[in-house]
Amino acid sequence: MSVLGERVAAGLKFPTGFVWGASTAAFQIEGSTTVDGRTDSSWDAFCRRPGAIAGGDTGDPAADHYRRYREDVALMRELGLGTYRFSLAWSRVRPDGGKVNPPGLDFYDRLVDELLANGIRPWATLYHFDLPQALEADGGWANRDTAYHFAGFAEAAAERLGDRIPLWSTLNEPWCSAFLGYGSGVHAPGRQDPEAAVAAAHHLLLAHGLGMAELRRHAPAAESGITLNLYPVQGPDPEAVRKIDGLMNRLFMDPVLLGRYPEDVLADLAPFGFGELVRDGDLGLISTPIDMLGVNYYRGYEVTREPVPGSEPAGPEWIGAGEVRFIPDPDAPRTDSGWQVEPGKLTDTLVSVHRDYPHIPLYVTENGAAYPDVTDADGQIADKDRIAFLDAHLRAAHAALARGVDLRGYFYWSLLDNFEWAEGYAKRFGLVHVDYETQRRTLKQSADFYAKVIAANALPGL
Ligand code: FCB
């Protein structure tokens, strides 16, 4: 066989030790929101607000993972997952943001032991959007004190679990927590207050820095970092690109990795009092060295200030970014979330992060797609679109590796169908289908595809 023939037959190999995983988040799968001392999170409260969540869905029973975690770990094992990324519910660990609640921590203790017993490495995210509602009532992330409460939560979690969890993220997507939670109001707590949104952004970053200090103290051997939603912002108009890239990417990357806020973003946010929020010492804490950066990628950001009929705004009105619009590609397929499928832009994202911040190892900590999966007469879920999505994005990740990016692993979002925030249960992202009536789990064909990729550490040959 020719050399080329051999390469094609063998498929596209990933480096030895490449980490294969899947991600979830506490509020999206656990359910059991009132047991073992857990109290309300901001998402429990937000779900009660009429019209906030599609279909009036709530976080209970979700995928009932709190009670079915053993079954779910068995599914992970069937898939051959090396690592499982999940989040801790702060409202279980320190209900109301107050005293440590041992029964709540016990759940994560059991989960971690079950994972380890099945040869799966746990990756814990401390905060994935669900603030104790009692802290929200005190101003939530707009209140600087919340960052110090977060440090206490991080300490409790790392003290108890730090000996067994080798990978930690402090926060998941602080951009979403700040700007969707307090700016557009489509996430909990549903506020529409620009000053609160920019304050939340700084306080979340401060919380990250304080949390890193706790992880270093109590989990010194672990790899710790933060997970950000990053976008390759592109387009013909440099000012549109600058503004959106600043708000989505550099506002979070620069303080964490370079120890400073970008000047142009500081100027954009000055009318909302951003400068006054930053105290001496904050940037030193925020830039505590991290071991790796988690990159969540779902879509590109091709933007312009030219009028584009029918296109959505790409940034918030209140920082003057409302006139920046997405440039839709009429030929690109879209997922059930309406997001264009743009695998090449995953390569662009990874390459540009590696170029601008060269020393930080990267993981794709989330990438995935919702499709209206249907169960056929044989009980099979032939989710061809998801397989194509996964295949294309893994090729894109591989292309980034080939271009020298220090990419250490890939996590599909999500292991299970789950509560997709304001969209409720209608959007199905899982490799595993969940029948919410019976809580029956069924592996979709994409799960078989992913299991084969993991087993081969390679994409199938062409
Ligand atoms: C990300 C979130 C995750 C999930 C996916 C679809 O922004 O981190 O919880 O909702 O989007």
Side-chain angles (χ1 to χ4, degrees):
M1 199 188 272
S2 70
V3 173
L4 179 65
E6 265 169 22
R7 271 227 326 259
V8 170
L12 221 41
K13 269 275 176 206
F14 281 79
T16 306
F18 192 78
V19 174
W20 295 105
S23 293
T24 64
F27 191 78
Q28 294 178 277
I29 59 167
E30 285 180 358
S32 298
T33 56
T34 56
V35 308
D36 297 336
R38 183 190 183 283
T39 54
D40 269 359
S41 74
S42 54
W43 272 92
D44 295 286
F46 191 53
C47 287
R48 288 185 204 115
R49 190 190 280 197
I53 313 293
D57 290 342
T58 71
D60 226 336
D64 198 24
H65 171 76
Y66 190 77
R67 298 192 305 155
R68 292 169 195 264
Y69 71 93
R70 283 202 180 84
E71 182 184 346
D72 292 339
V73 173
L75 290 168
M76 295 174 210
R77 188 179 173 140
E78 213 175 314
L79 278 166
L81 290 190
T83 306
Y84 169 57
R85 174 176 172 263
F86 60 98
S87 80
L88 309 186
W90 186 341
S91 300
R92 292 193 197 284
V93 174
R94 298 189 70 149
D96 296 334
K99 286 210 311 279
V100 175
N101 172 45
L105 262 175
D106 289 349
F107 169 65
Y108 298 107
D109 204 81
R110 293 194 293 277
L111 173 63
V112 165
D113 286 346
E114 186 72 13
L115 288 164
L116 294 173
N118 282 276
I120 299 164
R121 292 195 313 161
W123 178 327
T125 300
L126 286 166
Y127 184 74
H128 195 129
F129 303 171
D130 47 349
L131 189 68
Q133 178 56 20
L135 295 179
E136 192 58 69
D138 279 345
W141 287 109
N143 181 346
R144 186 177 168 97
D145 291 347
T146 299
Y148 298 97
H149 284 290
F150 176 80
F153 160 50
E155 180 184 26
E159 229 173 36
R160 177 80 181 269
L161 305 166
D163 57 335
R164 281 159 294 151
I165 299 185
L167 291 147
W168 293 81
S169 294
T170 51
L171 308 177
N172 180 71
E173 303 188 350
W175 178 89
C176 292
S177 302
F179 292 106
L180 302 182
Y182 298 83
S184 65
V186 298
H187 272 199
R191 287 177 61 185
Q192 293 181 319
D193 175 347
E195 289 186 10
V198 304
H202 179 63
H203 297 150
L204 279 151
L205 285 163
L206 181 61
H208 156 73
L210 293 163
M212 278 301 299
E214 297 303 332
L215 291 171
R216 292 294 184 228
R217 228 190 313 277
H218 299 289
E223 268 180 71
S224 298
I226 187 170
T227 289
L228 301 175
N229 47 317
L230 300 175
Y231 304 87
V233 184
Q234 299 161 337
D237 170 357
E239 172 57 9
V241 169
R242 180 202 67 74
K243 204 169 234 175
I244 301 298
D245 176 53
L247 194 68
M248 311 291 300
N249 299 323
R250 290 179 291 115
L251 174 61
F252 297 91
M253 300 281 278
D254 285 12
V256 170
L257 292 167
L258 307 177
R260 56 169 191 264
Y261 281 116
E263 290 298 329
D264 62 312
V265 183
L266 283 178
D268 286 344
L269 299 183
F272 309 100
F274 193 77
E276 291 94 86
L277 297 161
V278 185
R279 299 197 191 158
D280 283 355
D282 285 2
L283 282 159
L285 277 167
I286 295 170
S287 58
T288 301
I290 56 176
D291 303 311
M292 45 69 175
L293 178 72
V295 177
N296 291 355
Y297 173 81
Y298 289 92
R299 61 183 299 181
Y301 256 66
E302 190 87 18
V303 298
T304 181
R305 284 176 299 173
E306 293 293 312
V308 186
S311 174
E312 327 132 66
E317 199 64 62
W318 46 266
I319 66 155
E323 83 279 16
V324 182
R325 309 252 141 195
F326 285 108
I327 308 174
D329 173 357
D331 300 324
R334 286 177 183 261
T335 70
D336 200 24
S337 309
W339 302 337
Q340 281 181 195
V341 178
E342 299 170 301
K345 292 184 178 170
L346 170 60
T347 315
D348 296 348
T349 306
L350 296 170
V351 167
S352 65
V353 172
H354 181 69
R355 181 197 60 214
D356 297 344
Y357 310 89
H359 302 297
I360 188 77
L362 306 178
Y363 287 86
V364 173
T365 35
E366 287 181 26
N367 171 239
Y371 288 109
D373 302 320
V374 274
T375 310
D376 65 24
D378 312 330
Q380 289 272 320
I381 296 150
D383 55 342
K384 302 260 179 299
D385 288 337
R386 184 171 293 100
I387 294 173
F389 181 99
L390 191 47
D391 182 77
H393 285 79
L394 290 176
R395 282 175 202 283
H398 195 278
L401 281 163
R403 287 172 63 181
V405 173
D406 184 4
L407 178 66
R408 305 277 174 97
Y410 174 93
F411 290 68
Y412 180 77
W413 179 274
S414 180
L415 176 72
L416 302 168
D417 288 340
N418 61 53
F419 175 84
E420 174 51 13
W421 310 116
E423 307 278 3
Y425 296 98
K427 301 283 182 272
R428 293 181 176 272
F429 278 88
L431 296 166
V432 177
H433 180 270
V434 176
D435 175 334
Y436 294 109
E437 296 295 313
T438 60
Q439 292 296 343
R440 214 184 101 126
R441 274 89 163 119
T442 309
L443 295 183
K444 302 178 192 176
Q445 285 184 357
S446 56
D448 292 341
F449 172 80
Y450 195 39
K452 290 199 177 92
V453 171
I454 296 172
N457 197 36
L459 278 158
L462 298 171

